Amino acid sequence: MAPPPPPPPGMTLCRLPTASPALPLSLPCFPSRHRLSLAARRAGSVAARASSSPSSSSPDSSFGSRMEESVKKTVADNPVVIYSKSWCSYCMEVKALFKRIGVPPHVIELDHLGAQGPQLQKVLERLTGQSTVPNVFIGGKHIGGCTDTVKLHRKGELASMLSELDININNS
């Protein structure tokens, strides 16, 4: 039996505890955001949907705007920023790419931030339109995730972007 194809960006594979001839070894796992919204739709819960978008006068929105300002400052103050999760294979690939080319990125591991991690990921989604990690910024500009970063590297455009910031890379 052939191994399953790799998951699309933003999706991980969950391992089943035991293999069964009727079931594949891996099933797609959607980010928890999808599971929650699906559960809310099934339940028809207006309260669940209302609580996911706080009003502008709530303390959460001022916290969110402080987080947004923090992201903007981090991205402005560092030439290469990667918002990551330590266990994510796509994040590992992007961090390894920057290591290979000799560029030390500023990495924020969302899974090491406790309750602020998911909140920060929501802020990033609001700012970039991207809900997945890695979330990569170069020179203050959002360039995308793993696939986008690798494509830029293969085309030579990543080197160009970095050289505009006076960052030299190892050609590997």
Side-chain angles (χ1 to χ4, degrees):
M1 179 175 200
M11 185 185 305
T12 59
L13 293 177
C14 293
R15 293 277 178 209
L16 295 175
T18 57
S20 164
L23 294 174
L25 290 175
S26 301
L27 296 175
C29 291
F30 295 95
S32 61
R33 176 176 67 86
H34 296 292
R35 286 190 295 249
L36 291 175
S37 63
L38 182 60
R41 281 194 303 252
R42 283 185 182 153
S45 170
V46 175
R49 279 179 261 141
S51 69
S52 68
S53 57
S55 70
S56 59
S57 62
S58 75
D60 287 345
S61 71
S62 65
F63 180 72
S65 61
R66 285 194 309 269
M67 288 185 100
E68 188 172 312
E69 291 306 313
S70 173
V71 168
K72 289 177 181 177
K73 181 170 177 15
T74 299
V75 168
D77 292 349
N78 297 280
V80 179
V81 178
I82 303 172
Y83 287 90
S84 169
K85 291 185 180 174
S86 61
W87 50 264
C88 171
S89 61
Y90 296 106
C91 297
M92 289 180 220
E93 184 176 343
V94 167
K95 291 182 281 190
L97 168 63
F98 281 101
K99 185 175 183 176
R100 268 194 321 274
I101 65 173
V103 176
H106 181 79
V107 178
I108 294 96
E109 298 289 2
L110 298 175
D111 58 325
H112 293 175
L113 300 178
Q116 287 185 352
Q119 294 168 337
L120 188 53
Q121 192 164 358
K122 286 179 185 175
V123 168
L124 287 164
E125 181 178 9
R126 197 167 56 239
L127 290 172
T128 67
Q130 177 182 318
S131 63
T132 58
V133 291
N135 215 321
V136 183
F137 296 82
I138 296 179
K141 179 183 175 199
H142 179 250
I143 63 164
C146 179
T147 303
D148 304 306
T149 306
V150 170
K151 279 182 186 175
L152 286 173
H153 176 63
R154 287 186 181 147
K155 291 174 164 181
E157 294 176 23
L158 184 63
S160 298
M161 292 175 80
L162 293 168
S163 69
E164 288 175 10
L165 299 171
D166 293 326
I167 299 173
N168 296 319
I169 68 165
N170 299 333
N171 292 321
S172 46

